[in-house]
Amino acid sequence: MGQFEPPEGKLREEYGFFIDGKPDTPVDRERFETVDPSTEQPLVEISAGTEADVDRAVSSARQALDEWRATSATERGQVLFQIADAIRDHSEMLAVIEALESGKPYTQAVFSIKSCIDYFEYFAGLADKVQGDTIPMGWEYVDFTIREPMGVTAHITPWNFPTSIIGRSIAPALAFGNTVVHKPAEETSISALEVARLAVDAGLPPGVFNVVPGRGTEAGAALAGHRDIDSLTFTGSVETGREVARLAVDNVAAPHLELGGKSPHVIFPDADFDAAVPSILRGIFSANSGQSCTAGSRLLVHQDIHDELVDRVVAAASELTLGPPMDDPDMGPLVSAAQYERVTDYIEIGREEVGEPIIGGAPDRTGYYVEPTIFDGVSNDSRIAREEIFGPVLTVIEFSDESEALEIANDTDYGLAAGIFTSDVGRALRFARNIQAGSVFVNEYYAFGTQTPHGGFKQSGIGREKGLEAIRTYTQTKNVGINIEV
Ligand code: ADP
């Protein structure tokens, strides 16, 4: 182990479910193994949830709903503040878990835990600020709206930021009076089990937050298609998003989808290169090895600065360190063998489409490591520029002027995020106006926060999370019209 505490005592050998406020593990359930991506060795065993387990979790959430939604919003907020404190008190344990499960460097895992705490505190504060409108319907009426919880909310999450996403997706649901059933990703289920346990210890009533780990096709599909859920929040791939949305809509449960991306990061000659280069690196390499739906995976560079900028990006990327998460390098291994295969397959596709990458590839070592990889001279029509790779692979595309940059940037099925570097305010604002993306970053990739709404245009999703927009996602409006002349 490197400079951080070894994980002894932080992981149990076996994990089950968390239903009705307590660990719940029928002994006869099939178990699946998770793997430490830096050693390729087994990490822990987890029970695979079945339809029956999802059913028990949903009915626990249904039973807990009346009491939780009737709890005053201020009190709900206080419970969320207590959960935030509990997570903070256990952040080292949670960071070790996230680092080991996902392979991300320890410092980045700490950031994911901090982000989860931030969400809990943000939505704790927002809980009692959700209010309706009065609507002028005429002299003889009083009309007002109430924002009520959706009910039982289902959450299916990915493995890339497992703890942060609990804050983003589950904290607002809880704050506004909903109850929760969560199916975490197979690779990273422990974070969710630990946070749910901490939440109950911190005062969340039993049944309000249930976790059923398991396979996507079994526990995930059972949850998405459960007749008794009222909304489904899904973060993951477009293909699975389509499938789960169909299942949810069959029961008229509202689907909220945050899906993939192939986000453009556009650099103009008047950019501040000293700021742009580290931002490009964070956008696709150093932040979670590019395993992020908002990753800036298409670098659009003006032809006049192409050589200088690409040289600087290559030089900086060559300095990034790769290693096991607890050594806290710049980049850890990819999360799983499947992800490693997917990314290295795309590197092969890139070799066929545009030739050798100017830097990168997969080193010959144990662990699912892929170096920062850059393909230069890429056409926006190639597969490596159109399909989401979800790893540290950057495609460099040249443009000659602003309108061509915009055309290429928008020429994608996705629309999650877009970045621009320029010192021309008008150009930045024209880009922000014309780009088809849910988040626009000017002069800093990932310039967003807990408070800012996030979601996708086009194939990148339906609905918004984070910020005040979460109120729309996790409440439904009731209108009350009263004739006051009767
Ligand atoms: P990835 O391929 O990167 O794992 P997915 O979109 O398949 O991305 O997975 C995101 C989440 O969706 C995970 O929790 C996974 O278990 C779940 N999942 C995968 N397939 C299904 C499915 N058919 N129905 C419901 N959930 C699924």
Side-chain angles (χ1 to χ4, degrees), residues 296-311:
S297 49
R298 285 187 299 145
L299 183 66
L300 275 51
V301 188
H302 191 280
Q303 60 191 22
D304 292 353
I305 53 160
H306 170 274
D307 293 357
E308 186 192 346
L309 186 83
V310 171
D311 283 353

Side-chain angles (χ1 to χ4, degrees), residues 155-160 182-189 214-225 232 234-241 243-245 247 258-259 335-336 338-339 342 388 390:
H155 304 255
I156 299 179
T157 56
W159 40 258
N160 54 350
H182 179 199
K183 208 301 279 175
E186 290 86 324
E187 296 82 352
T188 55
S189 303
R215 299 210 166 78
T217 45
E218 190 170 7
L223 181 58
L232 169 70
F234 171 85
T235 306
S237 62
V238 177
E239 308 79 61
T240 310
E243 243 174 274
V244 295
L247 290 169
E258 206 258 74
L259 306 175
V335 71
S336 63
Q339 190 57 19
R342 176 194 169 100
E388 187 177 41
F390 222 72

Side-chain angles (χ1 to χ4, degrees), residues 41 51 95 119 143 147 246 251 304 311 317 331 376 385 417 470:
Q41 295 303 309
E51 203 177 325
Y119 283 118
D143 189 280
R147 286 216 166 254
R246 264 189 231 114
N251 294 314
D304 292 353
D311 283 353
M331 291 168 62
D376 195 9

Side-chain angles (χ1 to χ4, degrees), residues 162-204:
T163 319
S164 167
I165 217 158
I166 295 171
R168 183 174 104 185
S169 182
I170 290 171
L174 298 175
F176 308 144
N178 301 277
T179 56
V180 164
V181 179
H182 179 199
K183 208 301 279 175
E186 290 86 324
E187 296 82 352
T188 55
S189 303
I190 311 176
S191 318
L193 292 164
E194 294 292 359
V195 172
R197 182 180 61 78
L198 289 172
V200 168
D201 289 350
L204 193 71

Side-chain angles (χ1 to χ4, degrees), residues 261-265 280 283-284 290 292-300 373 375 384-397 414 417 445-446:
K262 194 74 192 176
S263 299
H265 197 175
I280 293 164
I284 187 65
S292 159
C293 18
T294 27
S297 49
R298 285 187 299 145
L299 183 66
L300 275 51
T373 301
F375 286 98
I384 57 165
R386 303 204 78 79
E387 297 173 20
E388 187 177 41
I389 298 174
F390 222 72
V393 181
L394 182 66
T395 52
V396 182
I397 303 167
Y414 295 105
Y445 207 80
Y446 291 133

Side-chain angles (χ1 to χ4, degrees), residues 149-460:
M150 298 296 295
V152 174
T153 60
H155 304 255
I156 299 179
T157 56
W159 40 258
N160 54 350
F161 300 98
T163 319
S164 167
I165 217 158
I166 295 171
R168 183 174 104 185
S169 182
I170 290 171
L174 298 175
F176 308 144
N178 301 277
T179 56
V180 164
V181 179
H182 179 199
K183 208 301 279 175
E186 290 86 324
E187 296 82 352
T188 55
S189 303
I190 311 176
S191 318
L193 292 164
E194 294 292 359
V195 172
R197 182 180 61 78
L198 289 172
V200 168
D201 289 350
L204 193 71
V208 173
F209 180 2
N210 306 278
V211 183
V212 184
R215 299 210 166 78
T217 45
E218 190 170 7
L223 181 58
H226 199 287
R227 283 194 69 83
D228 204 25
I229 62 165
D230 298 298
S231 83
L232 169 70
T233 304
F234 171 85
T235 306
S237 62
V238 177
E239 308 79 61
T240 310
R242 276 202 195 96
E243 243 174 274
V244 295
R246 264 189 231 114
L247 290 169
V249 165
D250 255 1
N251 294 314
V252 201
H256 307 287
L257 309 175
E258 206 258 74
L259 306 175
K262 194 74 192 176
S263 299
H265 197 175
V266 187
I267 318 293
F268 282 92
D270 58 1
D272 175 344
F273 282 18
D274 290 341
V277 171
S279 202
I280 293 164
L281 258 54
R282 250 193 99 217
I284 187 65
F285 299 137
S286 45
N288 208 24
S289 298
Q291 299 170 110
S292 159
C293 18
T294 27
S297 49
R298 285 187 299 145
L299 183 66
L300 275 51
V301 188
H302 191 280
Q303 60 191 22
D304 292 353
I305 53 160
H306 170 274
D307 293 357
E308 186 192 346
L309 186 83
V310 171
D311 283 353
R312 285 186 60 174
V313 170
V314 166
S318 318
E319 299 284 307
L320 294 174
T321 54
L322 245 69
M326 299 308 287
D327 284 356
D328 208 32
D330 296 313
M331 291 168 62
L334 303 186
V335 71
S336 63
Q339 190 57 19
Y340 176 83
E341 251 168 59
R342 176 194 169 100
V343 173
T344 48
D345 280 355
Y346 271 111
I347 294 177
E348 279 315 307
I349 292 169
R351 283 197 169 101
E352 282 159 29
E353 287 183 323
V354 289
E356 273 305 297
I358 52 175
I359 176 180
D364 183 18
R365 63 185 279 187
T366 303
Y368 307 127
Y369 291 97
V370 175
E371 289 166 354
T373 301
I374 303 177
F375 286 98
D376 195 9
V378 177
S379 151
N380 199 51
D381 295 329
S382 61
R383 284 185 65 190
I384 57 165
R386 303 204 78 79
E387 297 173 20
E388 187 177 41
I389 298 174
F390 222 72
V393 181
L394 182 66
T395 52
V396 182
I397 303 167
E398 256 186 60
F399 66 86
S400 56
D401 60 23
E402 190 180 316
S403 68
E404 193 192 11
L406 184 73
E407 196 184 309
I408 299 171
N410 277 333
D411 180 15
T412 168
D413 292 338
Y414 295 105
L416 195 55
I420 179 172
F421 263 85
T422 177
S423 48
D424 179 336
V425 175
R427 172 149 53 208
L429 292 176
R430 282 193 296 279
F431 180 79
R433 181 190 63 194
N434 296 330
I435 191 76
Q436 296 152 2
S439 291
V440 182
F441 309 133
V442 178
N443 291 340
E444 183 192 320
Y445 207 80
Y446 291 133
F448 59 3
T450 319
Q451 313 81 346
T452 56
H454 182 63
F457 282 36
K458 304 200 282 192
Q459 299 287 301
S460 290

